Amino acid sequence: MAERNTDRIRYRYGICLNDNCEKCKSKEVQEIPARKDFVCQNPECGKPLRECPPPKKGSNKKTFGIIASVIAIIALAIGFTYLALSGEKEHPEEVEGGGTQPEPSVTIVLNKSNLLLKEGESESLTYTISPDGNTDEVEWQSGSPDVATVNNGIVTAMKEGVSTIIATVKGHEDAMAIANVIVTPQDQGESEKGEDSPKTEGPKSIDLGYATYTGGTANGKPDGNGIMEFKRDYTLKLGSNEYEIKAGERITGMFRNGQINLATWYQRNGNETIIKP
């Protein structure tokens, strides 16, 4: 306390009130010897000062210490963030909880999605499993064995109709691929046909614009067992009935002279609807 009183005797303290003075703008407390004029020490100012208490000793050091502490904390935070991100890049397989990311899902793709066969004919289906190098076995199943059978990928047509062949990767129930099988009857002799009977042309693919038809044909029209795969949304009118078919859906069944006789509509939501005129 004695030292503070001595300072008060030896010096006076004040702040400049001239708004145009840099020392005023910075709110600097000026220390003026007691025997000198109590005016601003800025050579460009020189205005009288307003007396104020002397600044507390060590305040600058304390402020500097606080600033240094804040800077140190920020630096540590940046360092920890960098290390965390580096660790993620070096170990991308690690996930929360100390585990690892699941193995890539297994998928299977068949070389054909549609088979057109006549009764008694056979054709082989081949497959590709991803990821490459997968050696799991494939299980085969026919949706209608009375129409078409399958043995290790070899499909045999039994009788006229429509069936599906399902290939599943053993141990991976979600890894599944499906091929549609359309079986048409063997060509009949001309003597067995009436003069007005349509000319059978066998299984073909026909672009209908709104859908692609694959199956039996006669006189260039769908005739027999076949599948319609819709390329765009379409309103199908059968007699007094109307069906709103969405792109990607399909109709499988019996066709006569270009018209649906009786078929199943397979919808994207998993529903199956029998449709007929």
Side-chain angles (χ1 to χ4, degrees):
M1 184 66 69
E3 184 179 356
R4 177 71 54 89
N5 291 336
T6 303
D7 288 344
R8 292 284 292 181
I9 296 173
R10 294 174 55 192
Y11 299 99
R12 298 175 65 189
Y13 299 90
I15 57 175
C16 181
L17 300 179
N18 180 11
D19 293 336
N20 297 322
C21 177
E22 293 298 326
K23 291 184 179 293
C24 173
K25 294 177 181 179
S26 64
K27 305 297 181 182
E28 177 183 342
V29 176
Q30 300 182 49
E31 183 182 77
I32 309 297
R35 296 183 179 182
K36 285 190 175 183
D37 294 335
F38 194 58
V39 296
C40 180
Q41 298 301 299
N42 183 356
E44 298 178 358
C45 180
K47 299 290 184 180
L49 300 177
R50 185 177 71 181
E51 194 162 359
C52 67
K56 294 182 179 180
K57 292 184 177 182
S59 59
N60 291 338
K61 292 183 179 180
K62 183 177 181 181
T63 301
F64 177 80
I66 294 173
I67 295 174
S69 298
V70 172
I71 293 174
I73 292 172
I74 294 174
L76 286 174
I78 294 174
F80 283 128
T81 302
Y82 174 79
L83 290 176
L85 293 175
S86 299
E88 289 180 2
K89 293 180 180 179
E90 293 176 0
H91 305 284
E93 72 281 0
E94 294 181 358
V95 295
E96 186 176 355
T100 58
Q101 292 181 347
E103 296 180 359
S105 59
V106 175
T107 60
I108 180 172
V109 178
L110 297 177
N111 63 321
K112 291 186 177 181
S113 58
N114 294 308
L115 292 181
L116 305 176
L117 302 175
K118 292 183 179 181
E119 292 174 346
E121 290 183 339
S122 296
E123 188 169 340
S124 295
L125 288 173
T126 59
Y127 59 85
T128 302
I129 299 179
S130 298
D132 295 338
N134 188 290
T135 58
D136 292 326
E137 297 180 5
V138 173
E139 296 179 336
W140 298 89
Q141 181 181 359
S142 173
S144 301
D146 57 328
V147 175
T149 62
V150 60
N151 182 17
N152 198 27
I154 301 175
V155 181
T156 302
M158 304 302 293
K159 71 173 185 179
E160 182 182 10
V162 178
S163 182
T164 55
I165 301 300
I166 305 170
T168 307
V169 180
K170 192 173 182 179
H172 302 275
E173 295 181 356
D174 293 335
M176 177 188 302
I178 297 176
N180 300 304
V181 181
I182 304 164
V183 180
T184 58
Q186 290 287 354
D187 292 338
Q188 297 176 345
E190 292 297 325
S191 60
E192 299 178 9
K193 299 180 182 179
E195 293 182 1
D196 297 331
S197 299
K199 183 180 178 181
T200 302
E201 299 169 344
K204 288 184 178 180
S205 290
I206 302 174
D207 188 350
L208 302 174
Y210 57 87
T212 299
Y213 170 83
T214 305
T217 61
N219 298 326
K221 299 179 181 180
D223 195 276
N225 294 304
I227 298 173
M228 291 178 68
E229 295 179 303
F230 286 78
K231 299 185 290 184
R232 60 179 175 84
D233 294 354
Y234 184 75
T235 300
L236 181 65
K237 297 181 179 180
L238 296 177
S240 60
N241 299 318
E242 290 189 359
Y243 304 93
E244 298 296 333
I245 314 295
K246 301 297 184 182
E249 296 180 341
R250 61 188 173 91
I251 291 176
T252 301
M254 184 69 68
F255 295 78
R256 286 291 179 265
N257 195 28
Q259 301 297 320
I260 295 175
N261 189 33
L262 179 65
T264 302
W265 169 24
Y266 295 91
Q267 299 165 254
R268 290 187 302 187
N269 59 12
N271 292 338
E272 299 178 10
T273 304
I274 302 297
I275 60 175
K276 60 182 178 179

